Amino acid sequence: MVLAEIGASFPSVIKPVQRLTFKDKAKWTLIILALYFLMGSVIIWGINPDAVVEFEFYEIIFGSKMGSLITLGIGPIVTASIILQLLVGSKILNWDTKTPDGKAKFMGTQKILAVTFCFIEAIAYVIAGAIPPAGGGALIAFLVILQLAFGGIIIMFMDEVCSKWGFGSGISLFIAAGV
């Protein structure tokens, strides 16, 4: 599959060479948590923060904060994972995820789908008016979409760092932080 080949060459967080100590895992988890909160306080350039639609329940569930760099939260990652699990589970994609090759295909494709969903969701937020660009120009809207997608991609890499270098998954950490 073409997506699996592209995904294999996509940037990735490498696993630690040796087993990490509790202190090292705690350090990386706290760094990721601090970055998450920092990104949540950075308002997207080019929007009117007063016009941003607030979805309090949505923000808790998806680990997001509307109008900030973490607006997309874990949504693109979870959506990509669910769709890919359905395709593999129903044998539409006949991959054996118990083999290293099958795992690599799954993870690479999931990453490409997550990045794609970052852009799709960013476009949807802007077009639907949940994150309205100030000034209404096409260039401003495009820059808002890029910032939203960039924030989602950074969240994806932060999830990877937490999964490989910290405790648990970044997705769980971001949901807990949102609560």
Side-chain angles (χ1 to χ4, degrees):
M1 182 174 188
V2 175
L3 284 179
E5 293 171 15
I6 295 170
S9 64
F10 204 73
S12 181
V13 175
I14 59 169
K15 287 186 177 183
V17 177
Q18 58 190 15
R19 188 170 172 87
L20 296 174
T21 64
F22 178 85
K23 187 176 179 181
D24 288 334
K25 286 186 172 194
K27 175 184 74 174
W28 280 108
T29 303
L30 289 174
I31 288 170
I32 293 300
L33 189 59
L35 284 172
Y36 173 79
F37 283 126
L38 181 68
M39 287 176 63
S41 66
V42 176
I43 303 299
I44 298 288
W45 179 86
I47 66 167
N48 179 0
D50 298 329
V52 171
V53 179
E54 294 292 327
F55 299 105
E56 189 173 330
F57 180 72
Y58 170 83
E59 290 177 353
I60 292 170
I61 298 296
F62 286 111
S64 67
K65 185 172 184 306
M66 297 301 280
S68 72
L69 282 177
I70 61 170
T71 295
L72 299 182
I74 62 169
I77 302 167
V78 172
T79 305
S81 178
I82 289 171
I83 288 173
L84 202 53
Q85 286 175 15
L86 287 171
L87 291 173
V88 171
S90 65
K91 301 290 184 202
I92 292 172
L93 296 176
N94 198 13
W95 295 343
D96 183 7
T97 56
K98 294 179 180 112
T99 65
D101 184 49
K103 285 180 188 178
K105 283 181 183 177
F106 187 90
M107 296 306 291
T109 305
Q110 181 181 4
K111 194 174 289 187
I112 294 298
L113 283 175
V115 169
T116 303
F117 283 121
C118 284
F119 284 97
I120 291 171
E121 289 183 25
I123 291 167
Y125 279 134
V126 171
I127 289 175
I131 307 292
L139 178 61
I140 300 296
F142 177 73
L143 291 174
V144 168
I145 289 168
L146 284 180
Q147 291 173 83
L148 289 170
F150 175 73
I153 292 167
I154 295 299
I155 292 277
M156 182 184 74
F157 283 115
M158 287 168 51
D159 172 55
E160 260 191 271
V161 169
C162 199
S163 297
K164 294 178 181 176
W165 291 80
F167 293 115
S169 76
I171 292 174
S172 300
L173 179 68
F174 303 145
I175 292 171
V179 173

